[in-house]
Amino acid sequence: MSKVYMQGERLMVPDRVTIPFIEGDGVGAEITPVCQKIVNRAVQIAYGGQRSIEWKEVLAGGKAFRQTGEWLPEATMEAFREYLVGIKGPLTTPVGGGIRSLNVALRQTLDLYVCLRPVRWFKGVVSPVKEPQKVNMHIFRENTEDIYAGIEWEQGTPEAEKFYAFLRDEMGVTKVRFPETSSFGVKPVSIDGSKRLVRSAIRYALQHGLPSVTLVHKGNIMKYTEGGFKRWGYEVAEQEFARQTFTMNQYDQLKKDLGEESAHAAMAEAVNAGKIIVKDCICDAFLQNTLLMPEDYSVIATLNLNGDYVSDQLAAMVGGIGIAPGANINYQTGHAIFEATHGTAPNIAGKNIVNPCSLLLSSVMMLEYLGWQEAADLIVNALETAFGKGEATLDLARFMPDGTALGTVEFGDRLVELL
Ligand code: NAD
């Protein structure tokens, strides 16, 4: 038996595990083998041959289209469904095909409702902020709802006209400034969708011993969607994790009932007891705060569009937009696809200069998800050592004071050596 499976809410991982992977288009053919080599070696060292990964290639993107005539063959979906945990390189977005985005198709089909992006700084990597070592955040971006649900109609179409007529005639909406030339989009945000996301974020904070979860939203303006997300998030904390959390909601209530001193004391007691502080922040203020006092934030739970902006800003703050890892996860079914977050980089493909670290750190996340922490730690240590010595691929090395630019393959071999 080499398949990962769920037993109740627990992920069960055999020692010889099969992991389906999509090589990826463009630079995918360069970074995927390099990462697999490093991961295989780390697993071998960490477990002395007791554990191993059998990589099972599945097709998607340009390679799939060339070989099968399909961008995302059913066999690939079936493999991810069956083996639960997989990994993918970047994929070309088909132009003019039936599929808008292969990534979105994978997320929707498997209902991968969490987009998890851990953001940390590596010593040696040049950053645009003064104290990048203070950035250590874990973003839980909702993946299935919000404006990204893709429910929209283009201006001038009969659908947009019909939708506006419905708004005007049935819903009494009078605030559309230019109805004849407006496109319309719908932003669904549900109790179920919000709660499962926040639940996952709180569980993650508990499992990793992290101090806080911040609900990031625009509830001051969009009261029922973004504001709902905040309210339902607090409900999850207070109703489902009452003993492990203390919320800003509870703080405010205590302040109102018993005064600021009592609220303060309750907060201090909660912190001392190691409870997770669940707070919220309006998204625009949050983006400012992360630049001014990043140490105040740990786990972030947010809706899709906010999460998009937050992920990119935080990744840029650690100089890591090209090395940021990511995963799409459904914690209920166990399905998870780890991925390179950058694109296929056609301008540098085939030149042996691409940085493999986004996919490599996603592989580290995958090892952690499987519970193979020792192997994950070995890779992170090797990376810290390499960056600390100024050894990196060209994209990073050129900004390091004494940087040495290594080719993709050579950088991979150096990491294997450092393991
Ligand atoms: P891109 O991320 O491929 O490239 C943007 C820039 O960053 C380029 O200059 C590229 O050379 C550089 N870059 C990206 N990754 C790098 C790495 N690992 N090391 C060094 N430099 C790196 O974005 P794009 O050019 O907008 O998109 C190209 C294709 O990729 C498009 O078809 C797009 O749809 C697709 N795409 C896929 C994904 C995905 O599969 N997750 C994500 C984004 C874009």
Side-chain angles (χ1 to χ4, degrees):
M1 179 71 180
S2 62
K3 286 179 199 160
V4 176
Y5 62 99
M6 288 294 274
Q7 199 167 67
E9 290 193 342
R10 270 191 71 196
L11 198 71
M12 306 302 286
V13 182
D15 281 344
R16 313 252 172 243
V17 66
T18 302
I19 301 287
F21 74 95
I22 295 169
E23 178 184 79
D25 297 322
V27 292
E30 294 167 77
I31 57 178
T32 294
V34 164
C35 290
Q36 289 181 353
K37 189 174 171 186
I38 299 166
V39 170
N40 288 344
R41 184 76 185 119
V43 169
Q44 193 191 29
I45 295 173
Y47 308 111
Q50 275 291 102
R51 286 176 171 170
S52 62
I53 293 178
E54 185 200 325
W55 301 97
K56 174 186 168 68
E57 179 162 15
V58 292
L59 298 174
K63 191 170 181 182
F65 191 71
R66 285 190 299 278
Q67 290 190 20
T68 69
E70 282 181 87
W71 288 96
L72 187 57
E74 182 46 35
T76 298
M77 289 309 313
E78 195 44 46
F80 284 127
R81 238 180 250 126
E82 193 179 332
Y83 289 91
L84 295 195
V85 177
I87 189 160
K88 61 174 273 296
L91 295 174
T92 306
T93 303
V95 183
I99 299 180
R100 243 174 134 175
S101 154
L102 298 172
N103 295 314
V104 174
L106 282 168
R107 282 172 208 169
Q108 284 180 347
T109 312
L110 296 172
D111 193 23
L112 305 174
Y113 60 87
V114 170
C115 176
L116 174 57
R117 297 270 171 96
V119 185
R120 60 154 288 187
W121 178 70
F122 283 92
K123 194 162 177 255
V125 174
V126 174
S127 148
V129 298
K130 282 190 192 144
E131 297 180 299
Q133 73 280 3
K134 289 186 173 171
V135 182
N136 184 13
M137 296 185 218
H138 308 256
I139 306 160
F140 277 69
R141 171 185 174 195
E142 209 289 328
N143 236 350
T144 61
E145 299 195 304
D146 196 8
I147 217 79
Y148 268 44
I151 310 168
E152 57 175 352
W153 299 282
E154 193 178 1
Q155 68 79 29
T157 60
E159 290 81 8
E161 218 168 278
K162 194 169 173 183
F163 187 73
Y164 174 64
F166 169 74
L167 288 182
R168 183 191 56 210
D169 302 338
E170 313 266 331
M171 306 301 283
V173 172
T174 55
K175 288 189 207 157
V176 182
R177 180 67 186 81
F178 297 110
E180 282 80 29
T181 58
S182 287
S183 293
F184 293 95
V186 176
K187 178 183 173 78
V189 177
S190 68
I191 296 179
D192 289 343
S194 301
K195 284 195 166 178
R196 68 178 180 174
L197 189 272
V198 175
R199 193 175 291 126
S200 304
I202 295 177
R203 279 204 185 125
Y204 182 92
L206 282 168
Q207 279 160 8
H208 291 81
L210 298 168
S212 68
V213 174
T214 305
L215 310 169
V216 173
H217 61 90
K218 277 293 286 180
N220 53 331
I221 305 295
M222 292 168 272
K223 297 193 188 314
Y224 303 125
T225 49
E226 300 266 340
F229 175 78
K230 173 183 115 174
R231 278 194 307 282
W232 303 322
Y234 276 137
E235 274 174 28
V236 169
E238 288 164 17
Q239 292 169 5
E240 300 178 25
F241 299 93
R243 284 189 295 118
Q244 298 109 315
T245 63
F246 182 78
T247 72
M248 278 315 283
N249 217 19
Q250 291 167 321
Y251 177 90
D252 289 341
Q253 195 58 48
L254 277 172
K255 192 170 149 188
K256 218 164 83 192
D257 296 345
L258 301 171
E260 191 156 2
E261 219 168 283
S262 301
H264 236 70
M267 169 75 89
E269 196 186 314
V271 171
N272 277 341
K275 288 190 178 183
I276 291 172
I277 304 301
V278 180
K279 50 191 174 178
D280 74 279
C281 191
I282 295 192
C283 194
D284 39 328
F286 176 77
L287 287 171
Q288 278 195 55
N289 292 352
T290 53
L291 288 169
L292 300 171
M293 41 204 177
E295 66 277 19
D296 281 3
Y297 300 105
S298 176
V299 176
I300 315 303
T302 191
L303 288 171
N304 198 291
L305 185 61
N306 298 332
D308 201 14
Y309 305 146
V310 167
S311 304
D312 272 27
Q313 174 174 305
L314 293 182
M317 282 168 64
V318 292
I321 196 104
I323 65 168
N328 298 292
I329 305 175
N330 182 322
Y331 285 98
Q332 289 156 347
T333 62
H335 284 112
I337 300 183
F338 297 80
E339 63 176 357
T341 56
H342 55 78
T344 57
N347 54 334
I348 57 167
K351 295 184 179 162
N352 191 36
I353 56 172
V354 61
N355 187 343
C357 287
S358 173
L359 191 63
L360 183 60
L361 287 168
S362 299
S363 310
V364 166
M365 289 174 72
M366 183 181 82
L367 291 169
E368 287 174 348
Y369 185 75
L370 295 173
W372 295 10
Q373 189 66 45
E374 298 81 1
D377 290 344
L378 281 176
I379 298 175
V380 171
N381 289 343
L383 262 179
E384 280 172 346
T385 308
F387 288 152
K389 290 176 187 288
E391 294 170 349
T393 44
L394 180 65
D395 55 313
L396 296 182
R398 65 188 158 164
F399 298 119
M400 294 171 167
D402 293 310
T404 309
L406 300 177
T408 310
V409 172
E410 291 71 24
F411 180 65
D413 288 345
R414 179 75 183 117
L415 291 177
V416 167
E417 230 175 81
L418 289 170
L419 286 172

